Amino acid sequence: MSIMNRNLKRTASMVVLGMLLVSCGGEDNSTDRDGDDVSVNNNNSNNPTSVDANLYITDDFSTEYDAVWVTISKISFSNGSTEQLALSAEQSPITVNITQLKRAGLFVEKISIPTDATHVRIYLDQDAKLITPDGRTINASIAREAGGYISVPLSGYNPSTGSLIIDFDLPSFSLSGSTLTAPIVLASEQDASTWSTRDGEIEGTVRSVSNDSLTIETRLGRTYTIALGSYTTYRGPSSAWAPSVGSFVEVDVVISGTLAAPTFEALSVSAEELSDRSDGQGTPEIEGRIIAINGDRISVSVYESEDIRLSGTVVLAIGQATFTRGNAASLAVGQVIDAYITPTPNTDGSWQARVIEIEGAAKSGSIGDNDDGSDVYSEIEGRVVSVTGAQALLEIFKIEGVSGINVGERRSFDLTGVVFKEGSLQCLGAGSNLELKGYTDNSGSFIITVAEVDGGCAGSDDNSSDDPNGNSEVEGLITSVGTNSFVVNVLKVEDWFGAVPQTLTIRYDNNTYFEDLSPSDLRNGLLVEAEGPVTNGVMAARKIERE
């Protein structure tokens, strides 16, 4: 078979980065009270004593929870006597699973910070949802100050960096009964250098549009120019919809460049009919991995959602859904999908999907997209042997939907113009783990549409840990299976202590949670991920998952 890639024209304008939400690894700035009730000044557009800054919210690796859902309603700044509003999302709150923000940046908006501010206040809904590695759901109440916020001192903030990084310090979260104490601190630019990806959603009115870019003005009056390419999909009331001047849209973007001068590239552009949630309903968007398919119902393990009800495992009814990438016939367990959902559940507890996009699949209606499912969703993962220009030589350890290539062989891939959701071609090097997603067309060619560098440009083998419980995460291929244990060839790790071994023994017991497999499924050659503490070179697995 031949190996091909889909070219993407990547023309983007440099802009000052706005507000981002991200995930942990910050300086030790404890949260505290910033004073009594204060007045609120919402008008800061002409305030000469304020500075623009890139606001981020970050977190780091923890195996204590599979998901922690919180909802942010607004963000403000206080000097102890007055409060200035920076961002209000009360009509359309920001719901985020902070475990998915580990070493990542989620873009929201550019904000202004008063020069006399001493604290930033993060207003959170009281309700939070936690999901443990064994699948249990815990409904918790966030410990907040009387005004409904958590106050973070700005003692570590440096205006010259042009960014403010707020760290949801997940490894330090504590649960007492149903009360969740959520320490929030400030992180540094050095912490941002470890991020594997930056992405986000930009909502606003289209002010200009061309074949390769569009410019959006947000509700706060900020403007952003976003590159459009062959990967970009368009989601609207009809398959012929496209953005035009005056359209209100939501754009999913990936971000590259520096913190002060980033570039934005559109993954998808959605019409107001799908994205607008100003009435408190709208059509919430979710992203997650398919874990089961039963006729016209699919079960999705959700890791990003705009509605806290659509978290954990959600069953979607897909019979009336429109596909922007792939189609119903090409759905498969393990795929990542993005979907817009009707906000009222069906009588059987499922939720109606209006629009579905299979990450990496062919655009619906394009060459290579066939209703009979012959345009097979495909995926290849391997360790980089060498990189020459845009050619990457991989030693392959995972194959899905691609014929003519075997696990263990080396194969070169042309990455010219491929969209990188994590990392970039520039930082790709020998030893990196690279995941390629796409589809196999009618001629048998593997069309690469999206790539992810494990660990991003920061690299995947992290030999330090912020997890106070000493847990690590390992992905590898099973080489031998014993009684209540097995051995893997280690492919990648997170939060590892010391030198990374080539092989690791993993033990399990009745307390170990198995996801998408059972102990009887363990066999040589199976790719698995395990989480747990490592002692004397042996992991006591808390969770084992098929990859």
Side-chain angles (χ1 to χ4, degrees), residues 44 46-51 115:
N44 59 25
N46 297 312
N47 188 348
T49 59
S50 65
V51 295
T115 56

Side-chain angles (χ1 to χ4, degrees), residues 35 88 153 249 255 264 342 353 393 422 479 540:
S88 177
V249 298
I255 303 168
F264 299 87
T342 299
L393 180 64
E422 291 191 23
T479 58

Side-chain angles (χ1 to χ4, degrees), residues 330-395:
S330 59
L331 288 169
V333 170
Q335 291 174 341
V336 173
I337 66 166
D338 188 284
Y340 280 97
I341 312 300
T342 299
T344 303
N346 298 322
T347 56
D348 64 356
S350 66
W351 300 78
Q352 180 64 50
R354 291 186 59 188
V355 177
I356 295 176
E357 180 166 309
I358 303 173
E359 184 179 86
K363 286 185 180 180
S364 298
S366 66
I367 296 174
D369 176 69
N370 301 301
D371 290 338
D372 62 3
S374 61
D375 55 325
V376 178
Y377 168 85
S378 304
E379 185 177 325
I380 290 177
E381 190 170 354
R383 190 179 296 275
V384 176
V385 178
S386 62
V387 180
T388 304
Q391 299 289 326
L393 180 64
L394 296 189
E395 184 172 333

Side-chain angles (χ1 to χ4, degrees), residues 7-27:
N7 290 327
L8 173 68
K9 189 172 184 179
R10 308 180 109 188
T11 304
S13 297
M14 302 292 279
V15 297
V16 178
L17 182 61
M19 172 177 178
L20 301 177
L21 295 181
V22 303
S23 158
C24 165
E27 299 171 357

Side-chain angles (χ1 to χ4, degrees), residues 395-470:
E395 184 172 333
I396 298 168
F397 57 75
K398 179 182 178 182
I399 299 173
E400 180 180 345
V402 183
S403 60
I405 301 179
N406 300 310
V407 170
E409 78 171 79
R410 295 184 175 186
R411 186 67 68 98
S412 182
F413 297 88
D414 182 6
L415 304 179
T416 303
V418 170
V419 171
F420 278 76
K421 289 194 70 175
E422 291 191 23
S424 67
L425 178 61
Q426 289 70 33
C427 73
L428 193 62
S432 303
N433 286 339
L434 179 64
E435 185 175 6
L436 304 174
K437 295 181 180 181
Y439 59 94
T440 302
D441 67 10
N442 296 331
S443 68
S445 298
F446 176 37
I447 311 298
I448 304 170
T449 57
V450 65
E452 296 182 9
V453 183
D454 179 50
C457 292
S460 60
D461 292 342
D462 182 6
N463 295 340
S464 63
S465 177
D466 293 306
D467 188 340
N469 299 310

Side-chain angles (χ1 to χ4, degrees), residues 131 135 137 291 298-302 309-315 351:
I131 300 176
T137 296
I291 59 175
I298 61 173
S299 297
V300 179
S301 178
V302 177
R309 297 174 302 165
L310 293 162
S311 55
T313 298
V314 173
V315 178
W351 300 78

Side-chain angles (χ1 to χ4, degrees), residues 113-173:
I113 303 178
T115 56
D116 64 349
T118 59
H119 292 74
V120 56
R121 292 176 172 180
I122 298 95
Y123 286 79
L124 300 168
D125 286 3
Q126 186 172 24
D127 296 334
K129 181 182 287 188
L130 291 69
I131 300 176
T132 63
D134 61 2
R136 291 185 300 113
T137 296
I138 301 172
N139 293 312
S141 296
I142 299 175
R144 307 172 301 168
E145 297 191 24
Y149 57 82
I150 294 177
S151 181
V152 183
L154 290 170
S155 54
Y157 167 58
N158 180 2
S160 66
T161 65
S163 62
L164 176 68
I165 305 174
I166 296 175
D167 177 1
F168 274 89
D169 192 12
L170 182 57
S172 300
F173 277 30

